[in-house]
Amino acid sequence: MSRFAKLRTPRRGRTRYIRYNAYRMLLTITTSRAPATDLGWLLHKHPAKVQSFELSFGRAHVFYPEATDDRCTAALLLDADPVGLARANRGTGNELLAQYVNDRPYVASSFLSVAIAQVYGSALAGSCKTRPELAEEPLPLVARITALPCRRGGEPFLRKLFEPLGYDVRATRHPLDEHFPEWGESPYFTVELRATVRLADLLSHLYVLVPVLDDEKHYWVSADEVAKLLKHGEGWLNSHPEKEQIAARYLRRQQKLVRSALAGLASDDATDPDEAAAEHDLAEERLESKVSLHERRLAAVLAELQASGAKRVLDLGCGEGKLLRLLAADARFAEVVGLDASVRSLEIARQRLDRARLPDSARERVKLLHGALAYRDARLNDFDAAAVVEVIEHLDPPRLEAFAAALFGSARPRAVVLTTPNREYNVKFEGLPAGKFRHADHRFEWSRAEFAAWCEGVCARHGYTARLQPLGDTDPQLGGPSQLAVFVRTAG
Ligand code: SAH
């Protein structure tokens, strides 16, 4: 069983609790929908593996205590490291002792939200490339969280948060220390939540509500938190009976931020919360060091497209429409056309745009086309710019010249923003055997020199200049994990 010691921090004389056994914050998610091991697809984590992830405040481990056709449980265990916590706290004004002596490493807190976003990011976003229909399906799910602090409100407040969302809530309160019953009850509960919901919804609810219950965030709340609240509260928070309390606690009662969040939530508000959220997402992505490479790549591409001054933009090989969603939210782009060879990806892109609750004007700006990249296509003429994000490596090398002729020779947008992996960086990916590509469908992956040579050839043949840059955290020897080229047309 868990145990907690009572400590008094000198600064504010506040009582804190510290848990000192080997337990750590643990979130398990169980499904009984056969085949239950589909949970592995949804979470993008293989049931047979134990995986560990470095986070800014420690490590997260994902493993499956059970994985059968009838029942499958994925466990997310957080191992917060006090030194990492101190680092995460740097600059927040917290004093040294409070950084080291507190309950943060041991209880479910906003760290759990950070871990959900980083480790289960795709599942949280509701995307599942291999089994997209699964991500949309409400599944019988049980989430179990150990050591969930329910401060100021206890179990009744816990119920008020989760029951309106359709959860059956079971809570067991922990004593502060079972050897010292006179210390009384701790604010910590083991909580079980049961509902038939989409996994993405369950994760969004936890992302927002765990820190709300904890009511004590580990980092200073900045305006970015409003964007996170709006993003993860999308579709449910505005109709939640406790939305004011949720916003107030999530934003640590900073009135200006709370007002801004509530205004963003209100459906009849004149400003468009999704646009604001999308802008904030980007600001946040630039700020956070641990966002996924793909998010950073999309943010970089978006920034280049914005800087190009383009109004009519193509997204060639748009896939499931992540970039389209960002482009749609920016009114500078008067017309946005996504093209892909995969009808299924286009359907998902359409659903994603519908779900984004963009205003009609934004949705009307985006068109989707089914087509192949290696053929001249008059529908692609007269655009100012084209994005080609992680697509060329899916083309057979002999088709690359046809692709370049169709895009740079025939459609001839003024600017082209193109990204592709940097093969040299692959040695840094654990678990990628030497000589293997990152994705089963990649036909090639280029070194920086190979990419530069290809860009040079394209420029010479079609009248463009190109500027190349690395994407992601760069290694001094190997370059960035991905590479980006911005082509600008020089000849008519
Ligand atoms: N740009 C998206 C998707 C990248 S995956 C993103 O960054 O998220 C590559 C995409 O290119 C897939 O959606 C695939 O269907 C598409 N694709 C591959 N070959 C293609 C071709 N010849 N014509 C059109 N699309 C193609």
Side-chain angles (χ1 to χ4, degrees):
M1 265 316 282
S2 49
R3 283 202 242 145
F4 301 91
K6 213 171 194 177
L7 292 171
R8 201 163 277 278
T9 54
R11 185 154 154 252
R12 279 168 283 175
R14 273 186 44 212
T15 305
R16 291 175 179 267
Y17 305 99
I18 185 161
R19 188 170 187 183
Y20 56 89
N21 72 359
Y23 278 65
R24 289 289 186 269
M25 0 171 177
L26 178 67
L27 163 68
T28 63
I29 297 177
T30 303
T31 187
S32 50
R33 174 192 161 288
T37 44
D38 275 352
L39 189 59
W41 290 113
L42 276 174
L43 290 170
H44 294 244
K45 302 286 174 288
H46 196 286
K49 286 191 191 157
V50 176
Q51 284 176 269
S52 298
F53 304 85
E54 289 295 338
L55 305 178
S56 56
F57 52 82
R59 287 170 79 73
H61 312 277
V62 176
F63 57 94
Y64 289 73
E66 57 183 343
T68 66
D69 260 9
D70 301 329
R71 239 176 104 83
C72 183
T73 297
L76 171 65
L77 180 76
L78 298 198
D79 215 351
D81 137 38
V83 179
L85 283 182
R87 225 182 291 129
N89 262 336
R90 202 181 285 153
T92 61
N94 287 3
E95 63 176 34
L96 196 64
L97 185 63
Q99 288 172 1
Y100 283 91
V101 185
N102 62 33
D103 66 2
R104 302 295 80 198
Y106 310 99
V107 303
S109 65
S110 42
F111 287 130
L112 184 61
S113 306
V114 175
I116 287 174
Q118 290 182 9
V119 177
Y120 291 159
S122 313
L124 175 66
S127 93
C128 181
K129 245 197 156 102
T130 35
R131 305 285 306 278
E133 72 290 352
L134 259 187
E136 290 301 319
E137 187 184 327
L139 305 172
L141 295 173
V142 183
R144 191 166 195 276
I145 309 164
T146 51
L148 178 64
C150 303
R151 289 179 230 275
R152 287 181 275 277
E155 187 176 335
F157 186 59
L158 170 75
R159 291 186 179 282
K160 274 189 183 170
L161 290 184
F162 284 99
E163 285 176 349
L165 296 167
Y167 291 94
D168 171 40
V169 177
R170 299 177 194 183
T172 316
R173 190 165 194 165
H174 296 283
L176 210 43
D177 189 310
E178 68 224 39
H179 298 290
F180 300 95
E182 66 279 10
W183 283 8
E185 302 264 56
S186 77
Y188 306 103
F189 289 75
T190 288
V191 172
E192 242 180 51
L193 305 164
R194 291 163 188 269
T196 300
V197 279
R198 295 184 331 138
L199 178 63
D201 293 333
L202 169 66
L203 292 174
S204 303
H205 297 152
L206 294 175
Y207 180 96
V208 171
L209 298 178
V210 165
V212 163
L213 281 161
D214 183 26
D215 203 21
E216 190 164 29
K217 299 198 80 177
H218 67 282
Y219 52 88
W220 191 246
V221 188
S222 66
D224 294 337
E225 292 300 310
V226 175
K228 288 186 195 167
L229 182 63
L230 292 178
K231 177 173 165 186
H232 298 294
E234 189 178 314
W236 61 273
L237 185 50
N238 191 42
S239 54
H240 196 292
E242 296 295 327
K243 75 173 169 190
E244 279 87 10
Q245 269 283 343
I246 293 172
R249 285 182 172 223
Y250 188 93
L251 299 166
R252 286 193 94 172
R253 299 184 177 78
Q254 291 189 40
Q255 282 315 315
K256 238 174 94 187
L257 298 183
V258 175
R259 273 198 304 276
S260 145
L262 291 172
L265 281 174
S267 48
D268 58 351
D269 188 63
T271 64
D272 168 31
D274 289 312
E275 268 180 37
E279 264 171 39
H280 280 125
D281 285 352
L282 282 174
E284 164 203 335
E285 281 162 6
R286 286 192 203 103
L287 284 176
E288 285 187 9
S289 58
K290 290 272 173 180
V291 290
S292 82
L293 173 61
H294 196 50
E295 316 253 287
R296 290 169 78 174
R297 190 185 278 135
L298 294 178
V301 170
L302 179 66
E304 290 293 347
L305 291 171
Q306 287 166 335
S308 77
K311 294 202 172 4
R312 305 186 66 220
V313 182
L314 291 167
D315 182 5
L316 302 176
C318 62
E320 298 180 0
K322 287 192 180 154
L323 181 63
L324 293 175
R325 159 85 175 77
L326 299 174
L327 293 168
D330 187 333
R332 277 175 282 197
F333 303 113
E335 187 178 347
V336 176
V337 171
L339 175 132
D340 205 284
S342 155
V343 174
R344 181 153 209 196
S345 294
L346 290 171
E347 276 166 10
I348 296 168
R350 174 52 65 202
Q351 284 168 11
R352 188 184 285 266
L353 288 164
D354 287 345
R355 266 215 316 267
R357 294 192 300 132
L358 294 162
D360 288 347
S361 59
R363 292 222 335 247
E364 281 158 14
R365 288 198 285 270
V366 184
K367 261 201 296 200
L368 298 177
L369 296 178
H370 183 221
L373 278 176
Y375 299 92
R376 283 162 205 268
D377 186 336
R379 295 174 301 175
L380 309 184
N381 293 348
D382 303 322
F383 280 83
D384 302 319
V388 193
V389 180
E390 304 297 291
V391 173
I392 58 169
E393 63 278 5
H394 293 265
L395 304 176
D396 281 325
R399 304 298 298 153
L400 262 180
E401 201 31 58
F403 156 73
L407 176 58
F408 296 95
S410 174
R412 290 188 73 65
R414 195 155 40 74
V416 175
V417 183
L418 186 147
T419 77
T420 194
N422 165 21
R423 187 186 66 220
E424 293 162 86
Y425 200 89
N426 286 357
V427 293
K428 298 211 13 149
F429 289 122
E430 273 173 37
L432 184 67
K436 283 263 186 249
F437 296 144
R438 296 176 198 181
H439 188 288
D441 190 47
H442 284 182
R443 310 300 159 90
F444 61 89
E445 284 174 359
W446 278 334
S447 66
R448 285 168 293 173
E450 285 165 330
F451 184 45
W454 180 77
C455 293
E456 206 177 301
V458 164
C459 289
R461 282 191 295 281
H462 301 290
Y464 279 78
T465 55
R467 165 169 59 81
L468 275 67
Q469 70 183 56
L471 275 180
D473 291 330
T474 49
D475 176 281
Q477 263 83 48
L478 306 168
S482 190
Q483 37 191 349
L484 175 143
V486 181
F487 296 85
V488 177
R489 196 177 67 204
T490 50

